[in-house]
Amino acid sequence: MCRLLLYKGKQPILLAHLLTNPAHSIINQSFDSRLRIDHRRPLNGDGFGVGWYDREDQDKTHKPCIFTSVTPAWSNSNLVRLAEKIKSPLLFAHVRASTSGAVTEANCHPWNYGRIMWMHNGGIAQFEKIKRKLQNSLPEELFLWVEGSTDSEWAFALFLSFLDNPSADTFDYQELKAAMLKTIAQLNEWAEEANITEPSLLNFAVTDGESVVCARYISSKTLEAASLYFSSGTRFECYRPGHYRMVKADRREDMVVVASEPLTFEEADWLTIPTNTVMVITPKLNVLLQPIKDQFYAVERGLEVKVGEDVARIPDPHAQMMAHQISQLTSPTRS
């Protein structure tokens, strides 16, 4: 299970404040991931990627810059050097644990098509059973565009096919959100046709450089999706080495950070994005959350735990943390 991070703010932020400096930065999550659903593979060492938009876009293409590598993020000195020099008002970052596709740069997230950038945490269950249908549904240009072999990049191509013009200069966030929901619905439809009962984990994130749309999703009525949190405020400050906090000086939202795991140890800084929810960050930094009301929508979702003779339900958003704590308590002690 991969880890992802994104930032959108009114002012550019130094990449190091998100990628390398926090004690639980996404780089540290590449070897110390604490909220993975699959605890058997604790490392996210199959490559990484960082994508950002330049506020002073000299050629006016509005395309993101993307740096990827197959080396583990924790040992890439070039990433550290870049993070100490580059500032951006919109950033995507991803550390990979391969579940589909070889360890190659072509398979490292994020990807871009024109000004649109995409990344994914999770996996499309038994993707090989629906891959041909997905490919056949694409227009020729998008079919030929895909370079890698991951389910994530093919899902991106599917998303692009639901846009009126994926090469457009501007996009409305409503169109991006609609395409995200259509992508999830189409994958569910094909899975049902192929009699796939294993749930897919579809934490997708997409941006056009202005708006951001994220989904925290699992094709199950009872299970939780992979973890996803967000924090918003007026500034993200370091108060001692490695320790950051989100400062809310007033009611304004000057920045939003979304991450698979919180970057700070300040519990009040972070809110869980509920399972099976689409989140939109508008160009004006309004945060909109909407439940995805499809066949897997459930009003009550969480973790059932036995208390004496009774069964109690720990509701989302606390279930993910509770599930991890329980697994830690019940796992064999390591010497």
Side-chain angles (χ1 to χ4, degrees):
M1 195 68 62
C2 309
R3 303 283 84 178
L4 60 78
L5 162 78
L6 67 88
Y7 164 89
K8 176 172 170 57
K10 289 182 178 178
Q11 299 298 325
I13 191 171
L14 188 69
L15 270 55
H17 291 317
L18 300 169
L19 302 185
T20 57
N21 291 350
H24 198 51
S25 68
I26 191 169
I27 303 306
N28 284 359
Q29 290 175 33
S30 64
F31 61 84
D32 184 23
S33 177
R34 303 179 185 183
L35 295 178
R36 288 169 59 105
I37 290 178
D38 183 0
H39 298 296
R40 295 169 299 174
R41 300 178 65 232
L43 296 180
N44 298 284
D46 296 327
F48 69 87
V50 182
W52 67 94
Y53 292 84
D54 188 350
R55 191 172 192 180
E56 298 178 0
D57 191 1
Q58 301 296 331
D59 57 8
K60 306 300 180 184
T61 62
H62 306 292
K63 293 180 180 179
C65 305
I66 294 181
F67 170 50
T68 58
S69 174
V70 295
T71 63
W74 65 77
S75 64
N76 192 289
S77 57
N78 286 330
L79 176 61
V80 175
R81 295 188 189 109
L82 288 171
E84 292 291 347
K85 294 296 182 181
I86 295 173
K87 292 184 178 182
S88 174
L90 206 164
L91 161 76
F92 272 23
H94 187 279
V95 291
R96 184 173 182 240
S98 175
T99 57
S100 172
V103 179
T104 66
E105 286 192 9
N107 286 336
C108 290
H109 312 223
W111 297 275
N112 79 290
Y113 186 92
R115 66 181 296 160
I116 299 178
M117 185 162 57
W118 169 279
M119 60 183 174
H120 172 210
N121 173 30
I124 300 173
Q126 300 179 49
F127 179 61
E128 68 280 358
K129 292 185 177 181
I130 67 169
K131 183 176 181 180
R132 180 61 65 85
K133 279 189 176 181
L134 191 161
Q135 292 173 332
N136 289 343
S137 75
L138 299 176
E140 186 78 359
E141 180 181 354
L142 293 177
F143 174 78
L144 295 175
W145 167 78
V146 176
E147 294 183 356
S149 57
T150 65
D151 55 350
S152 304
E153 190 179 11
W154 284 110
F156 183 24
L158 179 63
F159 169 88
L160 293 169
S161 74
F162 289 125
L163 298 175
D164 290 339
N165 177 12
S167 300
D169 292 330
T170 60
F171 296 89
D172 182 85
Y173 72 81
Q174 295 282 11
E175 182 183 9
L176 297 178
K177 184 181 79 169
M180 178 71 78
L181 295 175
K182 289 177 182 178
T183 300
I184 292 171
Q186 185 62 78
L187 292 172
N188 284 337
E189 181 181 325
W190 285 331
E192 184 177 1
E193 291 172 356
N195 295 316
I196 298 171
T197 56
E198 179 186 349
S200 292
L201 292 161
L202 307 178
N203 283 16
F204 294 137
V206 69
T207 181
D208 64 341
E210 298 291 337
S211 306
V212 177
V213 177
C214 306
R216 182 186 180 212
Y217 187 88
I218 185 171
S219 54
S220 167
K221 268 193 170 184
T222 56
L223 299 175
E224 269 203 280
S227 58
L228 198 63
Y229 298 82
F230 81 97
S231 182
S232 61
T234 49
R235 67 181 186 273
F236 192 60
E237 70 173 20
C238 178
Y239 60 93
R240 71 171 186 265
H243 292 258
Y244 283 72
R245 61 188 167 207
M246 183 65 77
V247 177
K248 301 178 185 290
D250 50 43
R251 299 185 67 178
R252 293 176 302 153
E253 302 294 348
D254 291 341
M255 61 178 61
V256 181
V257 180
V258 179
S260 296
E261 299 187 17
L263 306 186
T264 76
F265 301 116
E266 306 292 331
E267 186 176 345
D269 283 354
W270 298 89
L271 296 173
T272 299
I273 298 173
T275 289
N276 288 20
T277 295
V278 62
M279 175 183 183
V280 175
I281 307 172
T282 72
K284 294 184 178 181
L285 287 167
N286 295 315
V287 176
L288 312 174
L289 293 168
Q290 175 186 322
I292 300 174
K293 294 188 176 181
D294 59 8
Q295 67 268 43
F296 298 110
Y297 175 71
V299 177
E300 291 188 8
R301 184 189 296 267
L303 174 72
E304 290 188 350
V305 294
K306 193 167 184 180
V307 183
E309 298 299 318
D310 299 320
V311 174
R313 178 174 291 275
I314 309 298
D316 196 16
H318 301 292
Q320 186 82 25
M321 185 70 74
M322 183 68 72
H324 174 62
Q325 291 172 346
I326 290 173
S327 70
Q328 292 293 97
L329 291 172
T330 58
S331 61
T333 302
R334 295 182 180 179
S335 57

